[in-house]
Amino acid sequence: MILRMVWQSALLLLLAAAGAWATYRWHPGRPELYITGELVTELNEISVSDALALEKAKGVIWLDARTRAEFNKGHIPGAMLLNTYEWVELAPAVIQFLSEAPEQRTIILYCDSQKCSSSHEVAEKMKEMPLGDWDIRVLHGGWPAWRAAAGK
């Protein structure tokens, strides 16, 4: 009787592990295992460590490309919300802020995962606007990577 329970438990554990692996392997929205990894693949992306060093050295402007609900749950201190969903409402305030900024610091956009495309979309829309010569980057790993690096 006990041997049968051990066998069934082991089988269930094996099936659960196989299901988890299959989900990770083929799910299109899977999270990265190493969200703080430094393998930056896009030209306009910046790693968390480089972004934090740049912020410490000369300051950066953080723009959150997630939804308002996600932004309200938590965001990088000092970040402003700018997403494609509410572009018409949010863009004027960001443009006004950038026009009054004392110096052209690096703008770093982030969203909710390493595979998130929202921050890239916002970066492209910003490059089409007459904002001047701003260095616009996307945080590699997004909000989860920043939280992991900040120890939150």
Side-chain angles (χ1 to χ4, degrees):
M1 180 75 160
I2 293 176
L3 184 60
R4 184 176 177 178
M5 285 191 320
V6 170
W7 170 250
Q8 288 175 343
S9 297
L11 181 61
L12 286 174
L13 183 63
L14 179 65
L15 289 173
W21 176 83
T23 299
Y24 173 75
R25 177 71 175 99
W26 290 295
H27 192 280
R30 70 178 184 252
E32 292 297 317
L33 289 178
Y34 303 102
I35 59 175
T36 58
E38 298 301 319
L39 297 174
V40 176
T41 56
E42 298 285 330
L43 291 177
N44 66 335
E45 286 190 348
I46 187 169
S47 69
V48 176
S49 59
D50 289 345
L52 293 174
L54 187 61
E55 180 179 39
K56 188 176 183 178
K58 66 177 195 168
V60 299
I61 297 171
W62 294 102
L63 295 179
D64 192 323
R66 302 175 301 155
T67 65
R68 184 176 298 274
E70 293 169 323
F71 180 82
N72 290 339
K73 287 181 186 175
H75 55 271
I76 295 174
M80 296 178 69
L81 180 63
L82 182 62
N83 58 44
T84 55
Y85 317 108
E86 302 172 274
W87 183 264
V88 174
E89 296 85 15
L90 298 172
V94 172
I95 292 168
Q96 181 69 30
F97 175 80
L98 293 176
S99 69
E100 295 172 357
E103 61 185 58
Q104 290 193 339
R105 294 177 281 168
T106 300
I107 298 171
I108 303 178
L109 290 130
Y110 66 94
C111 53
D112 62 357
S113 70
Q114 191 161 332
K115 300 282 186 187
C116 180
S117 62
S118 295
S119 50
H120 289 280
E121 291 171 12
V122 171
E124 289 304 313
K125 286 184 95 160
M126 288 182 73
K127 288 176 184 175
E128 295 170 2
M129 300 173 65
L131 295 173
D133 190 27
W134 289 89
D135 181 20
I136 301 173
R137 303 293 188 94
V138 173
L139 184 64
H140 184 74
W143 170 244
W146 183 88
R147 285 189 59 173
K152 303 197 183 232

